[in-house]
Each structure stands twice: as C-alpha cells, then as structure tokens.
Short mmCIF file of all heavy atoms in Angstrom, two decimals:
data_model
loop_
_atom_site.label_atom_id
_atom_site.label_comp_id
_atom_site.label_asym_id
_atom_site.label_seq_id
_atom_site.Cartn_x
_atom_site.Cartn_y
_atom_site.Cartn_z
N ALA A 26 15.37 -10.73 -28.64
CA ALA A 26 14.91 -9.40 -28.25
C ALA A 26 13.52 -9.47 -27.63
O ALA A 26 13.22 -8.72 -26.73
CB ALA A 26 14.89 -8.47 -29.44
N GLY A 27 12.68 -10.40 -28.09
CA GLY A 27 11.33 -10.50 -27.55
C GLY A 27 11.31 -10.91 -26.10
O GLY A 27 10.50 -10.45 -25.32
N GLY A 28 12.24 -11.80 -25.69
CA GLY A 28 12.29 -12.24 -24.30
C GLY A 28 12.68 -11.12 -23.36
O GLY A 28 12.12 -10.97 -22.29
N SER A 29 13.64 -10.31 -23.77
CA SER A 29 14.07 -9.23 -22.89
C SER A 29 12.99 -8.15 -22.79
O SER A 29 12.81 -7.55 -21.76
CB SER A 29 15.39 -8.62 -23.37
OG SER A 29 15.22 -8.05 -24.65
N LEU A 30 12.25 -7.91 -23.87
CA LEU A 30 11.18 -6.92 -23.83
C LEU A 30 10.10 -7.36 -22.85
O LEU A 30 9.60 -6.56 -22.08
CB LEU A 30 10.58 -6.71 -25.23
CG LEU A 30 9.44 -5.68 -25.31
CD1 LEU A 30 9.97 -4.32 -24.91
CD2 LEU A 30 8.87 -5.64 -26.70
N GLY A 31 9.76 -8.66 -22.86
CA GLY A 31 8.77 -9.17 -21.92
C GLY A 31 9.24 -8.99 -20.49
O GLY A 31 8.45 -8.69 -19.60
N CYS A 32 10.52 -9.19 -20.25
CA CYS A 32 11.04 -9.06 -18.90
C CYS A 32 11.03 -7.59 -18.47
O CYS A 32 10.74 -7.29 -17.33
CB CYS A 32 12.45 -9.63 -18.83
SG CYS A 32 13.02 -9.90 -17.15
N VAL A 33 11.32 -6.68 -19.38
CA VAL A 33 11.30 -5.25 -19.05
C VAL A 33 9.88 -4.84 -18.67
O VAL A 33 9.66 -4.12 -17.70
CB VAL A 33 11.79 -4.42 -20.25
CG1 VAL A 33 11.51 -2.95 -20.03
CG2 VAL A 33 13.26 -4.65 -20.47
N TRP A 34 8.89 -5.32 -19.39
CA TRP A 34 7.50 -4.96 -19.12
C TRP A 34 6.89 -5.83 -18.04
O TRP A 34 5.75 -5.63 -17.66
CB TRP A 34 6.66 -5.05 -20.39
CG TRP A 34 7.03 -3.97 -21.35
CD1 TRP A 34 7.79 -4.08 -22.46
CD2 TRP A 34 6.69 -2.59 -21.26
NE1 TRP A 34 7.94 -2.87 -23.07
CE2 TRP A 34 7.27 -1.93 -22.35
CE3 TRP A 34 5.94 -1.85 -20.35
CZ2 TRP A 34 7.11 -0.57 -22.55
CZ3 TRP A 34 5.79 -0.49 -20.56
CH2 TRP A 34 6.38 0.13 -21.66
N GLY A 35 7.62 -6.80 -17.52
CA GLY A 35 7.11 -7.64 -16.43
C GLY A 35 6.06 -8.62 -16.86
O GLY A 35 5.13 -8.91 -16.13
N VAL A 36 6.17 -9.13 -18.09
CA VAL A 36 5.20 -10.10 -18.59
C VAL A 36 5.74 -11.50 -18.34
O VAL A 36 6.74 -11.89 -18.93
CB VAL A 36 4.95 -9.89 -20.11
CG1 VAL A 36 3.96 -10.90 -20.62
CG2 VAL A 36 4.48 -8.47 -20.37
N PRO A 37 5.10 -12.28 -17.44
CA PRO A 37 5.59 -13.63 -17.21
C PRO A 37 5.42 -14.49 -18.45
O PRO A 37 4.50 -14.30 -19.24
CB PRO A 37 4.70 -14.16 -16.09
CG PRO A 37 3.81 -13.04 -15.68
CD PRO A 37 3.98 -11.92 -16.63
N GLY A 38 6.30 -15.42 -18.64
CA GLY A 38 6.23 -16.33 -19.78
C GLY A 38 6.91 -15.80 -21.02
O GLY A 38 6.92 -16.43 -22.05
N ARG A 39 7.47 -14.63 -20.97
CA ARG A 39 8.17 -14.04 -22.12
C ARG A 39 9.67 -14.02 -21.85
O ARG A 39 10.32 -13.00 -22.04
CB ARG A 39 7.67 -12.62 -22.38
CG ARG A 39 6.24 -12.55 -22.79
CD ARG A 39 6.19 -12.35 -24.25
NE ARG A 39 4.83 -12.04 -24.66
CZ ARG A 39 4.37 -12.37 -25.83
NH1 ARG A 39 5.14 -12.99 -26.69
NH2 ARG A 39 3.15 -12.06 -26.16
N GLY A 40 10.19 -15.11 -21.35
CA GLY A 40 11.62 -15.17 -21.08
C GLY A 40 11.99 -14.59 -19.73
O GLY A 40 13.16 -14.43 -19.42
N CYS A 41 11.03 -14.27 -18.92
CA CYS A 41 11.27 -13.69 -17.61
C CYS A 41 10.59 -14.57 -16.57
O CYS A 41 9.39 -14.81 -16.66
CB CYS A 41 10.67 -12.28 -17.57
SG CYS A 41 11.22 -11.32 -16.18
N PRO A 42 11.33 -15.07 -15.58
CA PRO A 42 10.70 -15.94 -14.59
C PRO A 42 9.65 -15.19 -13.77
O PRO A 42 9.80 -13.99 -13.50
CB PRO A 42 11.86 -16.38 -13.70
CG PRO A 42 13.02 -15.56 -14.09
CD PRO A 42 12.74 -14.86 -15.36
N PRO A 43 8.54 -15.86 -13.37
CA PRO A 43 7.45 -15.18 -12.66
C PRO A 43 7.90 -14.53 -11.35
O PRO A 43 7.40 -13.47 -11.00
CB PRO A 43 6.45 -16.29 -12.39
CG PRO A 43 6.83 -17.42 -13.25
CD PRO A 43 8.26 -17.24 -13.64
N TRP A 44 8.84 -15.14 -10.62
CA TRP A 44 9.25 -14.54 -9.35
C TRP A 44 9.99 -13.22 -9.56
O TRP A 44 10.02 -12.38 -8.70
CB TRP A 44 10.09 -15.51 -8.53
CG TRP A 44 11.40 -15.84 -9.16
CD1 TRP A 44 12.56 -15.14 -9.05
CD2 TRP A 44 11.69 -16.93 -10.01
NE1 TRP A 44 13.55 -15.74 -9.78
CE2 TRP A 44 13.05 -16.85 -10.39
CE3 TRP A 44 10.94 -18.00 -10.50
CZ2 TRP A 44 13.65 -17.77 -11.23
CZ3 TRP A 44 11.55 -18.91 -11.33
CH2 TRP A 44 12.89 -18.79 -11.68
N LEU A 45 10.56 -13.02 -10.74
CA LEU A 45 11.26 -11.77 -11.02
C LEU A 45 10.26 -10.65 -11.32
O LEU A 45 10.49 -9.50 -10.99
CB LEU A 45 12.21 -11.96 -12.20
CG LEU A 45 13.10 -10.78 -12.55
CD1 LEU A 45 13.99 -10.42 -11.37
CD2 LEU A 45 13.94 -11.11 -13.75
N THR A 46 9.13 -10.98 -11.91
CA THR A 46 8.16 -9.95 -12.29
C THR A 46 7.31 -9.48 -11.13
O THR A 46 6.79 -8.39 -11.16
CB THR A 46 7.24 -10.46 -13.41
OG1 THR A 46 6.57 -11.63 -12.95
CG2 THR A 46 8.01 -10.75 -14.66
N PHE A 47 7.15 -10.29 -10.08
CA PHE A 47 6.25 -9.93 -8.99
C PHE A 47 6.97 -9.75 -7.66
O PHE A 47 6.34 -9.74 -6.62
CB PHE A 47 5.15 -11.00 -8.84
CG PHE A 47 4.29 -11.09 -10.05
CD1 PHE A 47 4.41 -12.16 -10.92
CD2 PHE A 47 3.37 -10.11 -10.35
CE1 PHE A 47 3.62 -12.26 -12.04
CE2 PHE A 47 2.57 -10.20 -11.47
CZ PHE A 47 2.70 -11.27 -12.31
N SER A 48 8.27 -9.63 -7.64
CA SER A 48 8.98 -9.48 -6.38
C SER A 48 9.19 -8.00 -6.06
O SER A 48 9.31 -7.17 -6.94
CB SER A 48 10.32 -10.20 -6.44
OG SER A 48 11.16 -9.59 -7.40
N HIS A 49 9.19 -7.69 -4.77
CA HIS A 49 9.44 -6.33 -4.31
C HIS A 49 10.87 -6.26 -3.78
O HIS A 49 11.37 -7.22 -3.21
CB HIS A 49 8.48 -5.95 -3.18
CG HIS A 49 7.06 -5.96 -3.60
ND1 HIS A 49 6.52 -4.98 -4.39
CD2 HIS A 49 6.05 -6.82 -3.36
CE1 HIS A 49 5.25 -5.23 -4.61
NE2 HIS A 49 4.94 -6.36 -3.99
N PRO A 50 11.51 -5.12 -3.90
CA PRO A 50 12.84 -4.98 -3.30
C PRO A 50 12.75 -5.17 -1.79
O PRO A 50 11.84 -4.64 -1.15
CB PRO A 50 13.24 -3.55 -3.65
CG PRO A 50 12.34 -3.12 -4.74
CD PRO A 50 11.09 -3.93 -4.62
N PRO A 51 13.66 -5.93 -1.18
CA PRO A 51 13.58 -6.18 0.26
C PRO A 51 13.60 -4.90 1.09
O PRO A 51 12.91 -4.80 2.10
CB PRO A 51 14.82 -7.02 0.55
CG PRO A 51 15.23 -7.60 -0.75
CD PRO A 51 14.75 -6.65 -1.80
N ARG A 52 14.36 -3.89 0.67
CA ARG A 52 14.40 -2.64 1.44
C ARG A 52 13.04 -1.95 1.44
O ARG A 52 12.65 -1.34 2.42
CB ARG A 52 15.47 -1.71 0.89
CG ARG A 52 16.86 -2.18 1.20
CD ARG A 52 17.95 -1.26 0.76
NE ARG A 52 17.50 -0.02 0.17
CZ ARG A 52 18.24 0.75 -0.59
NH1 ARG A 52 19.48 0.42 -0.85
NH2 ARG A 52 17.77 1.86 -1.09
N LEU A 53 12.31 -2.02 0.32
CA LEU A 53 10.99 -1.41 0.25
C LEU A 53 10.03 -2.13 1.18
O LEU A 53 9.23 -1.50 1.87
CB LEU A 53 10.46 -1.44 -1.19
CG LEU A 53 9.09 -0.82 -1.41
CD1 LEU A 53 9.08 0.64 -1.01
CD2 LEU A 53 8.67 -0.98 -2.85
N THR A 54 10.10 -3.45 1.24
CA THR A 54 9.25 -4.23 2.13
C THR A 54 9.57 -3.89 3.58
O THR A 54 8.65 -3.72 4.40
CB THR A 54 9.45 -5.73 1.87
OG1 THR A 54 9.16 -6.00 0.49
CG2 THR A 54 8.54 -6.57 2.73
N GLN A 55 10.84 -3.78 3.92
CA GLN A 55 11.23 -3.43 5.30
C GLN A 55 10.75 -2.02 5.65
O GLN A 55 10.27 -1.78 6.76
CB GLN A 55 12.74 -3.55 5.46
CG GLN A 55 13.24 -4.96 5.36
CD GLN A 55 14.75 -5.02 5.18
OE1 GLN A 55 15.42 -4.00 5.11
NE2 GLN A 55 15.28 -6.23 5.10
N TRP A 56 10.87 -1.09 4.71
CA TRP A 56 10.41 0.27 4.97
C TRP A 56 8.91 0.28 5.20
O TRP A 56 8.43 0.95 6.14
CB TRP A 56 10.75 1.18 3.79
CG TRP A 56 10.12 2.53 3.93
CD1 TRP A 56 10.61 3.59 4.63
CD2 TRP A 56 8.85 2.95 3.41
NE1 TRP A 56 9.73 4.65 4.57
CE2 TRP A 56 8.64 4.27 3.83
CE3 TRP A 56 7.88 2.32 2.64
CZ2 TRP A 56 7.50 4.98 3.49
CZ3 TRP A 56 6.75 3.03 2.32
CH2 TRP A 56 6.57 4.35 2.74
N ALA A 57 8.14 -0.45 4.39
CA ALA A 57 6.68 -0.47 4.54
C ALA A 57 6.30 -1.06 5.89
O ALA A 57 5.36 -0.58 6.54
CB ALA A 57 6.06 -1.28 3.40
N ARG A 58 7.01 -2.10 6.33
CA ARG A 58 6.73 -2.70 7.63
C ARG A 58 6.99 -1.69 8.77
O ARG A 58 6.17 -1.54 9.67
CB ARG A 58 7.59 -3.95 7.79
CG ARG A 58 7.54 -4.62 9.13
CD ARG A 58 6.19 -5.24 9.34
NE ARG A 58 6.09 -5.81 10.65
CZ ARG A 58 5.72 -7.04 10.90
NH1 ARG A 58 5.41 -7.84 9.90
NH2 ARG A 58 5.63 -7.47 12.12
N ARG A 59 8.13 -1.00 8.71
CA ARG A 59 8.44 -0.01 9.74
C ARG A 59 7.40 1.12 9.75
O ARG A 59 6.96 1.56 10.81
CB ARG A 59 9.83 0.58 9.51
CG ARG A 59 10.96 -0.31 9.94
CD ARG A 59 12.28 0.43 9.99
NE ARG A 59 12.56 1.20 8.79
CZ ARG A 59 13.22 0.73 7.72
NH1 ARG A 59 13.66 -0.50 7.71
NH2 ARG A 59 13.44 1.50 6.68
N GLU A 60 7.01 1.57 8.58
CA GLU A 60 6.03 2.65 8.49
C GLU A 60 4.68 2.21 9.07
O GLU A 60 4.02 2.96 9.78
CB GLU A 60 5.86 3.07 7.03
CG GLU A 60 5.02 4.30 6.83
CD GLU A 60 5.63 5.56 7.43
OE1 GLU A 60 6.86 5.64 7.58
OE2 GLU A 60 4.86 6.47 7.76
N ALA A 61 4.27 0.98 8.79
CA ALA A 61 3.02 0.46 9.34
C ALA A 61 3.08 0.37 10.86
O ALA A 61 2.12 0.71 11.55
CB ALA A 61 2.72 -0.91 8.74
N GLU A 62 4.22 -0.07 11.40
CA GLU A 62 4.36 -0.16 12.86
C GLU A 62 4.30 1.23 13.50
O GLU A 62 3.72 1.39 14.58
CB GLU A 62 5.66 -0.87 13.21
CG GLU A 62 5.64 -2.35 12.88
CD GLU A 62 6.97 -3.03 13.04
OE1 GLU A 62 7.98 -2.34 13.32
OE2 GLU A 62 7.02 -4.26 12.87
N ILE A 63 4.88 2.22 12.85
CA ILE A 63 4.81 3.60 13.36
C ILE A 63 3.35 4.06 13.38
O ILE A 63 2.89 4.66 14.36
CB ILE A 63 5.68 4.54 12.51
CG1 ILE A 63 7.16 4.23 12.73
CG2 ILE A 63 5.36 6.00 12.81
CD1 ILE A 63 8.08 4.92 11.75
N GLN A 64 2.61 3.79 12.31
CA GLN A 64 1.21 4.19 12.24
C GLN A 64 0.37 3.50 13.32
O GLN A 64 -0.49 4.12 13.94
CB GLN A 64 0.63 3.88 10.86
CG GLN A 64 1.22 4.70 9.74
CD GLN A 64 0.89 6.18 9.88
OE1 GLN A 64 -0.22 6.54 10.27
NE2 GLN A 64 1.85 7.03 9.59
N VAL A 65 0.63 2.22 13.56
CA VAL A 65 -0.11 1.47 14.58
C VAL A 65 0.17 2.08 15.95
O VAL A 65 -0.76 2.32 16.74
CB VAL A 65 0.26 -0.03 14.54
CG1 VAL A 65 -0.21 -0.74 15.80
CG2 VAL A 65 -0.33 -0.69 13.31
N ARG A 66 1.43 2.33 16.28
CA ARG A 66 1.76 2.91 17.58
C ARG A 66 1.12 4.29 17.76
O ARG A 66 0.60 4.61 18.83
CB ARG A 66 3.28 3.02 17.75
CG ARG A 66 3.93 1.70 18.08
CD ARG A 66 5.35 1.87 18.56
NE ARG A 66 6.23 2.53 17.61
CZ ARG A 66 6.95 1.90 16.68
NH1 ARG A 66 6.92 0.60 16.58
NH2 ARG A 66 7.71 2.59 15.86
N GLU A 67 1.12 5.10 16.71
CA GLU A 67 0.52 6.43 16.79
C GLU A 67 -0.99 6.35 17.01
O GLU A 67 -1.55 7.08 17.83
CB GLU A 67 0.84 7.22 15.52
CG GLU A 67 0.31 8.63 15.50
CD GLU A 67 0.95 9.54 16.55
OE1 GLU A 67 2.01 9.17 17.10
OE2 GLU A 67 0.38 10.60 16.82
N ARG A 68 -1.67 5.45 16.30
CA ARG A 68 -3.12 5.31 16.46
C ARG A 68 -3.46 4.77 17.85
O ARG A 68 -4.45 5.18 18.45
CB ARG A 68 -3.70 4.44 15.36
CG ARG A 68 -3.61 5.12 13.98
CD ARG A 68 -4.30 4.33 12.91
NE ARG A 68 -5.73 4.41 13.00
CZ ARG A 68 -6.48 5.41 12.55
NH1 ARG A 68 -5.91 6.43 11.96
NH2 ARG A 68 -7.79 5.38 12.67
N GLU A 69 -2.64 3.85 18.37
CA GLU A 69 -2.85 3.34 19.72
C GLU A 69 -2.65 4.46 20.75
O GLU A 69 -3.41 4.58 21.70
CB GLU A 69 -1.91 2.18 20.01
CG GLU A 69 -2.29 0.90 19.31
CD GLU A 69 -1.28 -0.22 19.51
OE1 GLU A 69 -0.13 0.06 19.92
OE2 GLU A 69 -1.64 -1.38 19.24
N ARG A 70 -1.63 5.29 20.54
CA ARG A 70 -1.36 6.39 21.46
C ARG A 70 -2.52 7.38 21.50
O ARG A 70 -2.87 7.91 22.55
CB ARG A 70 -0.07 7.11 21.03
CG ARG A 70 0.39 8.19 22.00
CD ARG A 70 1.63 8.90 21.51
NE ARG A 70 1.39 9.74 20.34
CZ ARG A 70 0.82 10.95 20.38
NH1 ARG A 70 0.45 11.47 21.53
NH2 ARG A 70 0.65 11.65 19.29
N LEU A 71 -3.14 7.62 20.36
CA LEU A 71 -4.26 8.56 20.28
C LEU A 71 -5.59 7.92 20.65
O LEU A 71 -6.62 8.61 20.67
CB LEU A 71 -4.34 9.14 18.86
CG LEU A 71 -3.16 10.00 18.43
CD1 LEU A 71 -3.28 10.38 16.96
CD2 LEU A 71 -3.05 11.24 19.30
N GLY A 72 -5.61 6.61 20.88
CA GLY A 72 -6.86 5.93 21.22
C GLY A 72 -7.77 5.72 20.04
O GLY A 72 -8.98 5.55 20.20
N LEU A 73 -7.22 5.73 18.84
CA LEU A 73 -8.02 5.52 17.63
C LEU A 73 -8.02 4.05 17.25
O LEU A 73 -7.08 3.32 17.57
CB LEU A 73 -7.43 6.34 16.47
CG LEU A 73 -7.40 7.84 16.66
CD1 LEU A 73 -6.60 8.49 15.53
CD2 LEU A 73 -8.81 8.39 16.70
N PRO A 74 -9.06 3.59 16.55
CA PRO A 74 -9.05 2.21 16.08
C PRO A 74 -7.97 2.03 15.01
O PRO A 74 -7.63 2.98 14.29
CB PRO A 74 -10.45 2.00 15.49
CG PRO A 74 -10.94 3.37 15.18
CD PRO A 74 -10.28 4.29 16.18
N LEU A 75 -7.43 0.81 14.91
CA LEU A 75 -6.39 0.57 13.91
C LEU A 75 -6.94 0.65 12.50
O LEU A 75 -6.28 1.15 11.59
CB LEU A 75 -5.74 -0.79 14.15
CG LEU A 75 -5.03 -0.95 15.49
CD1 LEU A 75 -4.43 -2.34 15.60
CD2 LEU A 75 -3.96 0.11 15.66
N LEU A 76 -8.15 0.16 12.30
CA LEU A 76 -8.81 0.20 10.99
C LEU A 76 -10.19 0.82 11.13
O LEU A 76 -10.85 0.64 12.15
CB LEU A 76 -8.96 -1.21 10.42
CG LEU A 76 -7.68 -1.97 10.13
CD1 LEU A 76 -8.00 -3.40 9.72
CD2 LEU A 76 -6.90 -1.29 9.03
N THR A 77 -10.61 1.54 10.11
CA THR A 77 -11.96 2.08 10.08
C THR A 77 -12.62 1.65 8.78
O THR A 77 -11.95 1.31 7.81
CB THR A 77 -11.97 3.62 10.18
OG1 THR A 77 -11.32 4.14 9.02
CG2 THR A 77 -11.30 4.12 11.43
N SER A 78 -13.93 1.69 8.76
CA SER A 78 -14.64 1.30 7.55
C SER A 78 -14.68 2.43 6.52
O SER A 78 -15.02 2.21 5.37
CB SER A 78 -16.07 0.86 7.88
OG SER A 78 -16.77 1.93 8.49
N ASN A 79 -14.33 3.64 6.93
CA ASN A 79 -14.36 4.79 6.03
C ASN A 79 -12.96 5.11 5.53
O ASN A 79 -12.06 5.34 6.31
CB ASN A 79 -14.91 6.02 6.75
CG ASN A 79 -16.33 5.83 7.20
OD1 ASN A 79 -17.15 5.32 6.46
ND2 ASN A 79 -16.61 6.22 8.42
N TYR A 80 -12.82 5.11 4.21
CA TYR A 80 -11.54 5.49 3.63
C TYR A 80 -11.31 6.99 3.78
O TYR A 80 -10.23 7.44 4.09
CB TYR A 80 -11.49 5.06 2.16
CG TYR A 80 -10.15 5.28 1.51
CD1 TYR A 80 -9.10 4.42 1.77
CD2 TYR A 80 -9.94 6.36 0.66
CE1 TYR A 80 -7.86 4.62 1.20
CE2 TYR A 80 -8.70 6.55 0.08
CZ TYR A 80 -7.68 5.69 0.34
OH TYR A 80 -6.44 5.88 -0.23
N TYR A 81 -12.38 7.76 3.55
CA TYR A 81 -12.33 9.22 3.72
C TYR A 81 -13.09 9.59 4.98
O TYR A 81 -13.99 8.90 5.42
CB TYR A 81 -12.98 9.92 2.52
CG TYR A 81 -12.24 9.70 1.23
CD1 TYR A 81 -12.71 8.81 0.28
CD2 TYR A 81 -11.07 10.38 0.96
CE1 TYR A 81 -12.03 8.60 -0.90
CE2 TYR A 81 -10.39 10.19 -0.21
CZ TYR A 81 -10.87 9.30 -1.14
OH TYR A 81 -10.20 9.10 -2.30
N ASP A 82 -12.75 10.72 5.57
CA ASP A 82 -13.46 11.23 6.74
C ASP A 82 -14.85 11.68 6.32
O ASP A 82 -14.99 12.61 5.52
CB ASP A 82 -12.67 12.39 7.35
CG ASP A 82 -13.31 12.96 8.59
OD1 ASP A 82 -14.26 12.33 9.13
OD2 ASP A 82 -12.86 14.03 9.04
N PRO A 83 -15.92 11.04 6.82
CA PRO A 83 -17.27 11.41 6.36
C PRO A 83 -17.64 12.84 6.72
O PRO A 83 -18.47 13.45 6.04
CB PRO A 83 -18.19 10.41 7.07
CG PRO A 83 -17.36 9.62 8.00
CD PRO A 83 -15.92 9.94 7.74
N ALA A 84 -17.04 13.41 7.76
CA ALA A 84 -17.36 14.79 8.12
C ALA A 84 -16.84 15.78 7.08
O ALA A 84 -17.34 16.90 6.98
CB ALA A 84 -16.76 15.11 9.49
N ARG A 85 -15.87 15.38 6.29
CA ARG A 85 -15.29 16.29 5.29
C ARG A 85 -15.87 16.10 3.90
O ARG A 85 -15.50 16.82 2.98
CB ARG A 85 -13.77 16.08 5.24
CG ARG A 85 -13.11 16.43 6.58
CD ARG A 85 -11.64 16.32 6.50
NE ARG A 85 -11.15 17.33 5.57
CZ ARG A 85 -9.93 17.38 5.09
NH1 ARG A 85 -9.05 16.47 5.45
NH2 ARG A 85 -9.56 18.31 4.25
N LEU A 86 -16.78 15.14 3.74
CA LEU A 86 -17.39 14.89 2.43
C LEU A 86 -18.67 15.71 2.29
O LEU A 86 -19.50 15.73 3.21
CB LEU A 86 -17.73 13.41 2.27
CG LEU A 86 -16.55 12.46 2.18
CD1 LEU A 86 -17.05 11.03 2.13
CD2 LEU A 86 -15.70 12.75 0.96
N SER A 87 -18.83 16.34 1.16
CA SER A 87 -20.09 17.04 0.90
C SER A 87 -20.92 16.17 -0.06
O SER A 87 -20.59 16.04 -1.23
CB SER A 87 -19.84 18.42 0.30
OG SER A 87 -19.12 18.29 -0.91
N LEU A 88 -21.94 15.57 0.48
CA LEU A 88 -22.80 14.68 -0.31
C LEU A 88 -24.06 15.41 -0.74
O LEU A 88 -24.55 16.32 -0.04
CB LEU A 88 -23.17 13.45 0.54
CG LEU A 88 -21.99 12.60 0.99
CD1 LEU A 88 -22.48 11.51 1.93
CD2 LEU A 88 -21.27 12.00 -0.19
N PRO A 89 -24.64 15.02 -1.86
CA PRO A 89 -25.90 15.65 -2.28
C PRO A 89 -27.02 15.24 -1.31
O PRO A 89 -26.94 14.19 -0.67
CB PRO A 89 -26.13 15.09 -3.69
CG PRO A 89 -25.34 13.84 -3.74
CD PRO A 89 -24.19 14.03 -2.82
N PRO A 90 -28.06 16.06 -1.19
CA PRO A 90 -29.15 15.70 -0.29
C PRO A 90 -29.88 14.45 -0.78
O PRO A 90 -29.94 14.20 -1.99
CB PRO A 90 -30.08 16.93 -0.35
CG PRO A 90 -29.73 17.62 -1.61
CD PRO A 90 -28.29 17.31 -1.90
N PRO A 91 -30.40 13.64 0.14
CA PRO A 91 -31.13 12.43 -0.29
C PRO A 91 -32.39 12.81 -1.03
O PRO A 91 -33.04 13.81 -0.72
CB PRO A 91 -31.43 11.70 1.02
CG PRO A 91 -31.27 12.71 2.09
CD PRO A 91 -30.36 13.78 1.57
N GLU A 92 -32.75 12.03 -2.00
CA GLU A 92 -33.95 12.33 -2.80
C GLU A 92 -35.16 11.65 -2.23
O GLU A 92 -35.16 10.66 -1.63
CB GLU A 92 -33.75 11.87 -4.23
CG GLU A 92 -32.65 12.62 -4.90
CD GLU A 92 -32.44 12.20 -6.35
OE1 GLU A 92 -32.75 11.05 -6.69
OE2 GLU A 92 -31.96 13.01 -7.10
#
C-alpha cells in the first residue's frame, strides 16, 4: 500500500518510477506548443516584442511614491 500511495502523490522512490511522476500528457504538450505559436504570430502581427521584462503592465500598477 505504501508504494501505491507514493505513486499517487508523485513521490519518486516510493514504488513509482521517476519518469512517471514528472511526465506531461502528450496532448497537453501539443496544446501548449500550438498556443505558444498562436501567441507568437499575434505578437508579431501587432509589432510587439515576443518577450518583455515586465510581467505586469507598468502603466496599470499603482506604486507608492518614492521616499
């Protein structure tokens, strides 16, 4: 019972092989790839950079005044 519990919780070394605990479903990987390609094409179409250093839009953040 201990080995199966480790496998359910994704704990390597508890009767569950490491590749089983860290693998993604192939359909999910394919979906993520397609979604990323759509985002790249859209950003290129709009003339935006593919990556930015800001996770959030700085114009929409309300920061406290500098001291």
Side-chain angles (χ1 to χ4, degrees):
S29 63
L30 180 62
C32 195
V33 168
W34 290 103
V36 179
R39 295 258 190 210
C41 194
W44 65 86
L45 185 60
T46 58
F47 297 106
S48 65
H49 298 286
R52 288 184 3 199
L53 180 60
T54 303
Q55 293 166 358
W56 172 85
R58 174 69 184 232
R59 283 193 311 270
E60 188 65 26
E62 290 172 355
I63 291 169
Q64 293 295 321
V65 165
R66 283 194 301 270
E67 182 65 16
R68 292 186 74 81
E69 286 175 343
R70 186 182 70 78
L71 295 173
L73 298 171
L75 297 180
L76 297 173
T77 64
S78 60
N79 297 316
Y80 186 76
Y81 296 103
D82 181 12
R85 298 184 65 192
L86 293 175
S87 60
L88 299 174
E92 296 181 333

